[in-house]
Amino acid sequence: MNEIVQDYIEDYIRGLIPKGNPLLEAFRIKAIADEIPIIHSEVQNYIEILIKSRNIKSILEIGTAVGYSASVFVNAMGPQGQIDTIERSFKMVSQADENIEKLGMSDQVNLILGDALEKIETLDKTYDMIFLDGAKAHYIHLLDACLRCLKPGGVLVSDNVLFKGMIASNALVIRRKITIVKRMREYLLAISNHPQLLTTILPLGDGLAVSWMKE
Ligand SMILES: C[S@@+](CC[C@H](N)C(=O)[O-])C[C@H]1O[C@@H](n2cnc3c(N)ncnc32)[C@H](O)[C@@H]1O
């Protein structure tokens, strides 16, 4: 059972999303079969609209996994798009490298192996969009660095921010997840009240926060 949006609504919305690029669709099906936690289809659909409507050409992603969302974002940005994506698992980076090469996207994807908390400090670029999709307990620790790396007018998109409903309701909290819940609540308060950001939290997928960096 889904604690954020009722299953029948989610299924209906997903059913309306047309199948896109067949290679990406095959990639999505394989990743799901391999139990890789990739972005939900409706979240993907929303971010693709964001990328195209805001003419986003540079993205920093935290949490590559096998490279599925990075490939979707490159496809949405077109040939001018560039993504830097950080992943701490060597195994994931190797698979992502293979997948991205097969899609002919290697020139547009810079895979960075390491812990995002350390690697983000080494980046001296700014981006049109940052997609936070790594360990949920670290979002709060990455916030200052993300703001430093975001262009004025850029968007910070944070996935899984409602975490199976636990963030909004104590009744749903599993005891061993309490640290994630506390830190995510702290993060959502911070991005909702930050003087440089305008934030909305959407009950989409596992919860998506979209924050616009004021110009
Ligand atoms: C939800 S998956 C990413 C899915 C991917 N964005 C997609 O939609 O295709 C999260 C990934 O973040 C990675 N990760 C978690 N914490 C991290 C950290 N501190 N630094 C780098 N990667 C991290 C995990 O190893 C995992 O592969």
Side-chain angles (χ1 to χ4, degrees):
M1 193 180 74
N2 187 332
E3 299 290 358
I4 297 172
V5 181
Q6 299 209 10
D7 287 337
Y8 76 95
I9 299 280
E10 194 172 75
D11 291 345
Y12 178 70
I13 294 172
R14 281 186 189 165
L16 287 173
I17 301 170
K19 303 270 173 284
N21 178 322
L23 293 175
L24 289 175
E25 181 58 14
F27 188 176
R28 190 180 74 83
I29 290 168
K30 166 110 179 36
I32 291 171
D34 292 344
E35 298 185 356
I36 307 293
I38 57 169
I39 41 172
H40 293 91
S41 300
E42 62 277 24
V43 171
Q44 169 181 334
N45 187 228
Y46 176 79
I47 298 176
E48 286 175 309
I49 293 170
L50 206 57
I51 290 173
K52 287 177 184 286
S53 61
R54 298 194 55 80
N55 196 27
I56 284 169
K57 294 294 176 207
S58 60
I59 299 177
L60 170 64
E61 175 181 66
I62 311 293
T64 318
V66 292
Y68 177 70
S69 50
S71 311
V72 165
F73 299 162
V74 165
N75 187 58
M77 287 190 288
Q80 309 298 323
Q82 284 291 332
I83 178 163
D84 288 344
T85 177
I86 309 177
E87 170 57 56
R88 69 180 170 191
S89 154
F90 177 76
K91 193 174 160 207
M92 290 287 183
V93 171
S94 308
Q95 288 183 40
D97 196 19
E98 215 174 282
N99 291 326
I100 286 159
E101 181 153 10
K102 267 194 228 154
L103 290 165
M105 293 177 173
S106 299
D107 289 351
Q108 292 177 265
V109 182
N110 176 27
L111 288 167
I112 303 170
L113 172 63
D115 193 307
L117 291 161
E118 286 169 24
K119 292 292 172 182
I120 199 167
E121 297 301 336
T122 67
L123 301 174
D124 57 1
K125 280 158 68 180
T126 54
Y127 301 84
D128 297 328
M129 182 176 117
I130 298 180
F131 181 52
L132 263 187
D133 195 22
K136 290 172 274 294
H138 287 155
Y139 288 13
I140 186 69
H141 305 131
L142 288 163
L143 180 57
D144 285 347
C146 284
L147 295 181
R148 181 179 54 73
C149 292
L150 197 59
K151 284 183 188 164
V155 278
L156 170 64
V157 179
S158 317
D159 202 7
N160 308 104
V161 296
L162 294 175
F163 192 31
K164 303 178 200 303
M166 285 186 234
I167 308 304
S169 169
N170 282 338
L172 296 172
V173 175
I174 300 168
R175 187 186 280 264
R176 71 192 151 80
K177 302 289 183 188
I178 194 76
T179 303
I180 294 177
V181 171
K182 280 185 184 159
R183 290 188 187 166
M184 187 59 87
R185 286 178 181 166
E186 201 187 324
Y187 177 71
L188 293 183
L189 266 176
I191 58 173
S192 298
N193 294 290
H194 199 287
Q196 282 176 279
L197 298 175
L198 197 55
T199 294
T200 184
I201 294 161
L202 305 172
L204 202 62
D206 196 25
L208 193 74
V210 183
S211 309
W212 175 66
M213 174 92 137
K214 295 177 189 170
E215 295 184 85

